[in-house]
């Protein structure tokens, strides 16, 4: 089926002079709704099915891991704190296919990945967001919120970063090129954040309040609901069915909530060791088709329209 689809796309592309790059991955263990849990002190990421059965544990370089993000190619990216700040990337079979030091990062927080593979890493003590290419080249540094922590790339390809600094909490909003689009303060310390794919609003873990806050893009509170955690609730991920999976670094469970705050269930984390972030695999297959419109000109009379098509971000990470 993927081969036929690729053939059709390339045939259509040739009719209009569309240059395409097609990336198709091989069969992998990921499944729709699988839950990825980042164990900070354990230095690993665990993959569970939606029923809470442990399917796989990813281990690799260094320790004190932060975040779990899925790249456009369906790989898993996480940040390590020791022995120095850096990034580890795994394929779905569990093989570490890339590791690099991130010397621009001073005590990493969350990691988010854009549709082209660019990585954004929160530098907590540096007060910046550091951008790296998919191969580990440092691209740029921008001033973040106070002590940047959780982050998320939205469906529009922009980045939201929350700050947990003691002199002011809030969010900054960036384009991938580092341009600041806006900012706002919050009355609570934000853990991780999810961007709603339907309307671009934000769902945020209230770190010390054990609640999920729903904010609009100006920071106004749209609603909230309490969750069964204690003091360090950081990890939040939205599943494709618009339910939430949540983790707290002091709790051995993953909690599952509806969008309206109803507890749907929970499951135990195998060997929990400060679970910080959580992510959910959003598609029934790990295989993706990325189409990049590199150069397409449609001539209508004397007018020329140019398009740019990119693959959407494959999944969202969460950390704490």
């Amino acid at each position: 089926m993927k081969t036929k689809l690729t053939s059709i796309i390339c045939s259509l592309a040739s009719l209009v002079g569309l240059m395409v790059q097609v990336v198709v991955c091989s069969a992998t263990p990921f499944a729709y709704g699988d839950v990825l849990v980042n164990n900070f002190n354990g230095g690993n990421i665990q993959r569970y099915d939606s029923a809470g059965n442990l399917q796989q544990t990813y281990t690799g370089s260094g320790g004190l891991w932060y975040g779990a993000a899925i790249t456009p190619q369906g790989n898993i990216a996480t940040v390590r704190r020791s022995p120095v700040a850096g990034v580890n990337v795994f394929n779905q079979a569990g093989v570490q296919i890339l590791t690099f030091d991130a010397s621009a990062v001073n005590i990493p927080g969350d990691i988010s990945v854009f549709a082209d593979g660019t990585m954004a890493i929160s530098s907590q003590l540096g007060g910046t967001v550091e951008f790296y290419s998919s191969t580990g080249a440092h691209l740029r540094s921008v001033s973040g919120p106070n002590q940047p922590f959780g982050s998320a790339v939205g469906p529009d390809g922009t980045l939201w970063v929350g700050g947990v600094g003691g002199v002011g909490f809030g969010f900054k909003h960036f384009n991938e090129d580092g341009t600041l689009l806006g900012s706002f303060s919050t009355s609570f310390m934000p853990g991780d954040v999810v961007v709603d794919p339907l309307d671009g609003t934000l769902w945020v873990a209230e770190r010390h309040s054990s609640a999920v806050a729903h904010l609009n893009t100006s920071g106004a509170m749209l609603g909230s609901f309490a969750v069964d955690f204690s003091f360090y609730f950081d990890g939040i991920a939205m599943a494709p069915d618009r339910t939430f999976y949540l983790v707290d670094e002091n709790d051995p469970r993953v909690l599952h909530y509806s969008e309206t705050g109803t507890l749907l269930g929970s499951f135990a984390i195998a060997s929990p060791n400060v679970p910080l972030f959580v992510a959910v695999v959003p598609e029934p297959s790990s295989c993706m088709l990325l189409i990049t419109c590199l150069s397409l000109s449609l001539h209508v009379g004397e007018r020329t329209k140019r398009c740019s098509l990119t693959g959407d971000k494959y999944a969202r990470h969460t950390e704490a």
Side-chain angles (χ1 to χ4, degrees):
M1 178 63 184
K2 290 191 289 289
T3 301
K4 182 177 180 181
L5 179 60
T6 301
S7 176
I8 293 172
I9 291 173
C10 291
S11 297
L12 292 174
S14 65
L15 295 177
V16 293
L18 176 63
M19 299 172 62
V20 299
Q21 178 183 14
V22 179
V23 179
V24 180
C25 66
S26 59
T28 60
F30 274 15
Y32 174 87
D34 277 1
V35 179
L36 304 176
V37 177
N38 159 224
N39 268 315
F40 174 66
N41 279 349
N44 64 56
I45 292 173
Q46 297 174 340
R47 180 173 62 87
Y48 295 84
D49 62 24
S50 58
N53 301 302
L54 180 64
Q55 302 297 307
Q56 192 170 10
T57 299
Y58 300 83
T59 59
S61 301
L64 304 180
W65 290 10
Y66 249 74
I70 302 180
T71 73
Q73 291 74 31
N75 299 317
I76 302 172
T78 190
V79 185
R80 51 177 163 81
R81 281 192 180 181
S82 70
V84 295
V87 173
N88 298 334
V89 180
F90 301 87
N91 65 21
Q92 293 184 25
V95 177
Q96 182 173 285
I97 57 175
L98 175 68
T99 185
F100 63 86
D101 292 344
S103 59
V105 177
N106 186 358
I107 304 297
D110 201 2
I111 179 173
S112 287
V113 184
F114 292 91
D116 64 357
T118 297
M119 305 176 192
I121 303 173
S122 296
S123 177
Q124 291 194 69
L125 295 190
T128 60
V129 181
E130 303 296 335
F131 292 77
Y132 283 82
S133 73
S134 60
T135 57
H138 185 245
L139 301 176
R140 68 189 65 89
S141 175
V142 300
S143 178
N146 193 13
Q147 293 185 27
F149 189 62
S151 66
V153 173
D156 62 353
T158 63
L159 176 73
W160 292 89
V161 183
V164 297
V167 296
F169 310 134
F171 281 88
K172 283 191 173 183
H173 187 202
F174 300 96
N175 271 329
E176 184 177 348
D177 65 5
T179 302
L180 180 65
L181 300 175
S183 64
F184 60 78
S185 298
T186 60
S187 60
F188 58 87
M189 180 182 289
D192 204 11
V193 56
V194 172
V195 184
D196 196 310
L198 292 184
D199 57 15
T201 57
L202 309 179
W203 297 85
V204 186
E206 293 191 37
R207 194 175 196 208
H208 293 164
S209 304
S210 296
V212 172
H214 188 198
L215 309 177
N216 70 15
T217 55
S218 298
M221 184 74 75
L222 301 175
S224 67
F225 60 84
V227 299
D228 186 26
F229 280 144
S230 55
F231 194 64
Y232 285 105
F233 161 43
D234 285 320
I236 179 171
M238 178 182 279
D241 63 358
R242 301 188 58 78
T243 62
F244 293 97
Y245 288 90
L246 314 174
V247 294
D248 180 307
E249 65 181 78
N250 290 325
D251 199 290
R253 302 168 299 162
V254 174
L255 301 186
H256 187 200
Y257 276 86
S258 73
E259 184 180 1
T260 57
T262 300
L263 180 61
L264 302 175
S266 66
F267 62 83
I269 300 172
S271 303
N273 201 340
V274 189
L276 287 180
F277 303 148
V278 60
V280 178
V281 176
E283 298 183 359
S285 169
S286 62
C287 293
M288 294 184 62
L289 184 65
L290 298 182
I291 306 172
T292 304
C293 174
L294 301 177
S295 177
L296 171 60
S297 296
L298 299 177
H299 296 277
V300 182
E302 295 181 353
R303 299 180 59 189
T304 298
K305 297 181 180 180
R306 296 187 178 274
C307 74
S308 177
L309 306 177
T310 59
D312 290 334
K313 181 180 178 184
Y314 184 69
R316 221 317 276 167
H317 75 276
T318 69
E319 84 171 64

